[in-house]
Amino acid sequence: MTQDLIILIVEIAAAVGAAGGLGYWFTRKPKTPPAAPEPPPSLNRTLRSTRDSFWGKIQRSLSGSIDTNQLEIIEEILYTSDLGPTTVAKLLDSVEDQLSRQDKKSLDMLKTSLKGEVNSILTAVPKMGQSPFLNFESSAKPQVWMIVGVNGVGKTTTIGKLAHVAASKGAKVLVAAGDTFRAAAQSQLRAWSERAQVEIFAPEGVKDPGAVAFDAVQMAKARNYDLVLIDTAGRLHTQDNLMEELKKVKRVIQKLDPQAPHETLIVLDANSGQNALVQAQKFHETLKLSGAIFTKMDGTAKGGVVLGLASQLQLPTVFLGVGESMDALTGFSPQEYTEALFEA
Ligand code: GDP
């Protein structure tokens, strides 16, 4: 389809949609600007349970000065704290090395040494904590973000939150309903787009996610959108089917813009701990992810998984989901995270 034809169809759909006829296909953006987001809860509060199961547990298990026996206790706690064996080995090596140089080893020394290692694991990852929104205004339009992840992790909710943040920064946002596999996905995404007051591209009856993504990006180029958020399927008949489909979506978008997708972000449920790392690895192998968004950080004791992801896959975490509301998304800061893991 030529670009002119697409524009014509979009204009007609928008006009008819405004009159109620095709509202299901193309939701027109309301005139009133969206409200600025409410500040999310502090990371320190969000990570309370994680802190308690990590540093809190270490503190409670040790007393006085630290000897070799107690290092075994630390090792045990670390291995049960969802960091993953690679990360635990790095932390232990560093702690043992630093403490071996001290005659009298205290809890404070242990804390300083663990904090230092956590911080260096995180900051060694390029773009760690750097919000993709940072380069947003100066970047080529439209920025295309492909959002991937298995069903139930909070992908739809996160797309709604991202759309809301971008719209409240003044961006013209288009959400593309690329999960054509799940019947409920489109209506759920529509509800979130309405809440975030952004437009959605969800052609009824189109089963090919590549076609949805292609048409959405083409429309966004023609109509000068700033950001396209592409939702994708999270479960097909087999893992291989899913990966093939996602690869195809990526290829198809690249026909319109070889730089796209500018971000390929995986949404992971922090509660799934080590399983989240397995998911990230699979998607990374196929799609070369640019970063991760951990949801449900509120209330979980498994927030250490952020560190595991950095250490095992060298993938940056860019946002954290900290609740169910539209405003409950926060940028990730390695320093803030490190502080929150250790300090109440
Ligand atoms: P999807 O299947 O991956 O699209 O998942 P949904 O977006 O439908 O979310 C699944 C459930 O997780 C819903 O009940 C959401 O409200 C909830 N959820 C999503 N993100 C968060 C979060 O950051 N914190 C909490 N507490 N719940 C969340």
Side-chain angles (χ1 to χ4, degrees):
M1 215 178 313
T2 66
Q3 189 160 305
D4 286 348
L5 188 55
I6 290 256
I7 297 170
L8 183 67
I9 292 172
V10 166
E11 293 295 349
I12 292 169
V16 181
L22 278 180
Y24 65 88
W25 190 76
F26 184 82
T27 312
R28 210 153 165 66
K29 196 174 173 180
K31 293 273 185 293
T32 45
E38 292 276 319
S42 74
L43 195 57
N44 193 293
R45 221 177 85 195
T46 301
L47 285 182
R48 198 169 35 201
S49 302
T50 299
R51 177 171 55 243
D52 193 56
S53 73
F54 175 61
W55 179 243
K57 208 162 165 187
I58 295 178
Q59 252 179 325
R60 287 192 298 275
S61 312
L62 303 178
S63 55
S65 64
I66 297 166
D67 56 29
T68 323
N69 286 344
Q70 288 185 317
L71 275 177
E72 278 170 26
I73 300 176
I74 300 170
E75 184 171 354
E76 223 176 280
I77 295 172
L78 289 178
Y79 273 115
T80 54
S81 65
D82 282 283
L83 298 171
T86 323
T87 320
V88 172
K90 274 189 201 170
L91 290 175
L92 283 173
D93 278 356
S94 163
V95 165
E96 276 175 2
D97 179 49
Q98 291 194 34
L99 294 188
S100 67
R101 288 186 243 139
Q102 315 286 339
D103 290 338
K104 206 162 180 296
K105 305 160 190 16
S106 69
L107 205 59
D108 267 355
M109 282 174 200
L110 174 66
K111 187 186 197 176
T112 309
S113 135
L114 274 175
K115 259 176 102 167
E117 189 56 24
V118 166
N119 195 50
S120 70
I121 289 175
L122 292 174
T123 49
V125 177
K127 286 169 72 183
M128 174 59 90
Q130 207 179 86
S131 164
F133 285 123
L134 273 184
N135 312 318
F136 194 53
E137 277 159 24
S138 58
S139 313
K141 283 189 193 183
Q143 286 290 292
V144 180
W145 295 7
M146 198 170 153
I147 313 295
V148 301
V150 304
N151 288 348
V153 291
K155 188 154 46 78
T156 316
T157 309
T158 303
I159 291 174
K161 290 174 180 177
L162 289 170
H164 174 56
V165 177
S168 62
K169 284 172 180 282
K172 190 173 171 185
V173 182
L174 183 64
V175 169
D179 182 359
T180 55
F181 187 72
R182 209 160 44 120
Q186 223 183 65
S187 57
Q188 214 187 331
L189 198 63
R190 182 176 305 287
W192 271 106
S193 302
E194 274 166 22
R195 235 172 284 166
Q197 303 193 27
V198 301
E199 286 156 24
I200 178 165
F201 184 78
E204 194 113 316
V206 178
K207 287 284 166 230
D208 176 3
V212 174
F214 186 87
D215 287 351
V217 173
Q218 193 161 45
M219 177 178 129
K221 278 170 94 81
R223 291 172 55 95
N224 214 25
Y225 278 78
D226 296 296
L227 176 66
V228 187
L229 295 170
I230 301 179
D231 185 23
T232 56
R235 187 166 299 136
L236 291 187
H237 303 296
T238 68
Q239 177 87 26
D240 287 347
N241 279 345
L242 174 61
M243 294 304 159
E244 276 313 308
E245 177 176 296
L246 295 176
K247 269 201 284 193
K248 188 179 158 207
V249 170
K250 194 168 174 173
R251 268 198 317 270
V252 162
I253 304 169
Q254 283 169 342
K255 285 187 188 160
L256 290 167
D257 180 352
Q259 307 299 321
H262 304 86
E263 300 286 345
T264 306
L265 300 172
I266 188 166
V267 181
L268 299 164
D269 180 343
N271 285 304
S272 55
Q274 285 300 289
N275 194 23
L277 301 189
V278 176
Q279 289 166 20
Q281 184 160 11
K282 290 224 165 84
F283 279 83
H284 195 37
E285 276 163 13
T286 310
L287 294 170
K288 199 165 182 329
L289 300 170
S290 61
I293 302 173
F294 277 98
T295 62
K296 312 181 196 181
M297 290 296 283
D298 47 308
T300 186
K302 301 185 172 185
V305 67
V306 172
L307 191 62
L309 186 78
S311 159
Q312 242 169 272
L313 297 180
Q314 284 74 52
L315 267 179
T317 293
V318 288
F319 294 106
L320 301 177
V322 294
E324 291 186 276
S325 77
M326 195 158 64
D327 294 323
L329 183 78
T330 181
F332 180 77
S333 148
Q335 288 74 21
E336 222 184 311
Y337 175 84
T338 308
E339 284 302 319
L341 266 191
F342 292 90
E343 311 285 347

